[in-house]
Amino acid sequence: MSSTMNDDEFNVQKSKFSAYDRLSCENSPMNMSPWNQSCNLNAINDDDDAMKNNHKICLIGSLVREEGHIYSLATKNDLLYTGSDSKNIRVWKDMKEFSAFKSNSGLVKAIIISGDKIFTGHQDGKVRVWKVQPNNPNSFKPAGTLPTFFDIFKASIRPSNYFMSAKHNKASIWIKHWDAISCLSMDHNHGLLYSASWDRTFKVWRADSSKCLESVKAHEDAVNSVVASADGVVYTGSADGTVKIWQREFTPKTIRHVLVQTLLNQECAVTALAVNKSGSVVYCGSSDGVVNFWEKEKKNWTHGGVLKGHKLAVLCLESAGNLVFSGSADKNICVWRKEGCVHTCLSMLTGHNGPVKCLAVEQDKESTRSDKKWVLYSGSLDKSVKVWSVSEMAPIMHNGDVQ
């Protein structure tokens, strides 16, 4: 079941947010300073309104640092990490800058955290490793690159480790990415780091030793997204228009990933992927602004439907609880709630002045079993990060497409 909006209907629905937009404090003097702290959106006197206010979606603050477009976000233990084309990785706590560290080259396209290590993927094809200093939690020091210099030297000795790269038309070592890193994902249960690249491959790394275990020629064009789930399944999406599922297999000496299914094969590029916590639903964002999703029944995947809320390409996706968040080149974020096999668009979050390039989400401290709440971070090419409070019990703020 689906419903499609025409342009007039879309604009009418979008106009319903005018009152909501005024809550964002976009024109307040606070926003004129380098740091825009959280707005007080809870000052409601009426008890009934206050109760409704607890189940809501609202902007609680903005982080602005006029130094570069925001390309990547990660959050853990109340810390937010932001990566930009300024090569800086900034660390935020309570919406204030907590720390920062900088790479020598390559804009920061991906960030992922594992224990006391932070892995960053860069435009120059390198994955850099940083460590939190145990005696100084706001100090981050470089701890090498993937692959290590020693592994590169060791691999370079054997001619069988070389292949001809299509872009540079020269021999390259298989353990190195020869084009930009587009995405990072982590299987924390097995300590495996996955890096996807525009070089059409994804690589598998042992996080504790920085050793490259496998390189998979996954697609015929740039790999834009990789997601590793806890059950040993890896999902990849590419500019070639395909979404593929890979099964991880361990052998006595090594590891390998076997292609088990191609979920999608379309003309427009696949730009983002997300998998829910249980691994039972896969979401795919495309350059045409559509989000497809599949549901797992036993061992089979069936196409569940399409979510149509954006006018331009979907650039990022995140899943949390019963919610799915999609960020787009149209500068907006759609909040979808899954109830059974039906997805409802709860709200369209507006306020960014540039494409929404990345999202990160963590559970709100005020979250309860009866009312799960999330803190959503959105990074944009307008050089800002916005912080949103999202309740799973929020009422529908406009009629989105329902599948």
Side-chain angles (χ1 to χ4, degrees):
M1 178 177 66
S2 65
S3 61
T4 305
M5 291 182 288
N6 60 36
D7 291 345
D8 291 338
E9 291 170 334
F10 184 87
N11 290 329
V12 168
Q13 291 173 355
K14 193 172 180 181
S15 69
K16 294 180 181 179
F17 287 90
S18 58
Y20 167 74
D21 288 343
R22 286 195 292 272
L23 289 176
S24 68
C25 302
E26 288 295 311
N27 299 319
S28 69
M30 187 177 295
N31 192 52
M32 303 303 291
S33 68
W35 311 105
N36 180 11
Q37 302 305 314
S38 60
C39 304
N40 181 14
L41 302 179
N42 298 313
I44 298 179
N45 296 322
D46 186 83
D47 291 340
D48 293 335
D49 287 344
M51 186 174 295
K52 293 177 182 178
N53 196 48
N54 289 329
H55 308 308
K56 68 177 183 179
I57 301 173
C58 65
L59 179 70
I60 57 177
S62 296
L63 309 177
V64 182
R65 198 75 151 82
E66 292 290 343
E67 63 178 8
H69 305 301
I70 307 298
Y71 278 87
S72 53
L73 296 171
T75 180
K76 186 179 180 181
N77 298 333
D78 298 326
L79 295 179
L80 174 69
Y81 298 77
T82 62
S84 71
D85 55 7
S86 69
K87 306 172 190 176
N88 286 315
I89 300 97
R90 297 201 173 272
V91 189
W92 309 78
K93 186 174 183 179
D94 298 326
M95 289 191 286
K96 296 179 181 179
E97 187 171 359
F98 179 71
S99 183
F101 47 101
K102 185 174 184 177
S103 64
N104 292 326
S105 62
L107 69 87
V108 188
K109 295 183 70 69
I111 306 173
I112 201 161
I113 307 160
S114 177
D116 63 347
K117 290 183 178 179
I118 297 94
F119 298 92
T120 55
H122 298 258
Q123 182 78 24
D124 60 8
K126 293 182 179 180
V127 178
R128 292 176 170 82
V129 189
W130 314 82
K131 287 195 73 173
V132 183
Q133 299 305 293
N135 57 346
N136 189 2
N138 67 344
S139 177
F140 299 81
K141 300 295 183 183
T145 59
L146 304 183
T148 65
F149 177 80
F150 176 77
D151 286 341
I152 293 173
F153 175 76
K154 185 178 178 181
S156 65
I157 298 174
R158 291 188 179 183
S160 61
N161 287 329
Y162 287 85
F163 70 98
M164 292 299 295
S165 68
K167 182 177 180 180
H168 301 110
N169 195 28
K170 66 178 182 180
S172 299
I173 303 173
W174 69 271
I175 64 174
K176 290 177 61 178
H177 283 298
W178 51 264
D179 209 338
I181 304 293
S182 58
C183 185
L184 296 174
S185 185
M186 188 81 195
D187 178 353
H188 295 280
N189 292 336
H190 295 89
L192 299 176
L193 175 72
Y194 290 80
S195 59
S197 171
W198 291 353
D199 66 10
R200 307 176 187 181
T201 72
F202 71 85
K203 300 189 190 297
V204 190
W205 311 83
R206 183 73 67 187
D208 57 358
S209 66
S210 299
K211 181 179 178 60
C212 187
L213 303 177
E214 185 186 19
S215 178
V216 180
K217 172 63 168 60
H219 292 272
E220 297 304 315
D221 206 335
V223 184
N224 289 326
S225 186
V226 61
V227 179
S229 64
D231 57 0
V233 179
V234 177
Y235 308 85
T236 56
S238 168
D240 65 12
T242 63
V243 176
K244 295 183 178 181
I245 301 179
W246 308 80
Q247 181 65 53
R248 183 173 61 236
E249 297 180 353
F250 289 102
T251 66
K253 292 185 178 181
T254 185
I255 185 177
R256 70 170 186 163
H257 289 75
V258 179
L259 178 65
V260 294
Q261 189 174 351
T262 299
L263 287 181
L264 182 67
N265 193 345
Q266 61 183 16
E267 290 186 5
C268 56
V270 174
T271 47
L273 293 176
V275 181
N276 68 344
K277 187 176 181 180
S278 65
S280 61
V281 187
V282 177
Y283 298 91
C284 160
S286 303
S287 59
D288 59 358
V290 166
V291 177
N292 282 274
F293 69 94
W294 293 262
E295 296 179 304
K296 191 175 185 179
E297 298 177 0
K298 295 182 179 180
K299 293 185 178 180
N300 299 317
W301 288 95
T302 58
H303 187 254
V306 222
L307 309 180
K308 299 178 181 178
H310 295 288
K311 287 295 188 180
L312 298 175
V314 175
L315 302 180
C316 46
L317 287 168
E318 281 289 338
S319 174
N322 292 325
L323 300 179
V324 182
F325 307 95
S326 56
S328 170
D330 64 13
K331 308 176 186 179
N332 301 322
I333 303 156
C334 283
V335 181
W336 308 87
R337 181 168 61 205
K338 183 179 186 298
E339 297 173 282
C341 59
V342 176
H343 288 73
T344 304
C345 186
L346 296 183
S347 179
M348 181 179 292
L349 309 183
T350 63
H352 279 295
N353 295 317
V356 180
K357 192 69 178 65
C358 48
L359 297 169
V361 62
E362 65 179 349
Q363 192 161 344
D364 195 305
K365 293 178 181 178
E366 297 181 358
S367 180
T368 63
R369 184 173 298 181
S370 60
D371 181 19
K372 286 187 178 179
K373 294 182 179 180
W374 305 93
V375 178
L376 174 69
Y377 302 94
S378 58
S380 169
L381 301 188
D382 65 7
K383 303 182 181 180
S384 78
V385 176
K386 293 192 180 296
V387 188
W388 313 83
S389 176
V390 182
S391 167
E392 290 194 13
M393 300 294 291
I396 299 173
M397 293 186 70
H398 83 84
N399 296 321
D401 286 343
V402 182
Q403 303 293 326

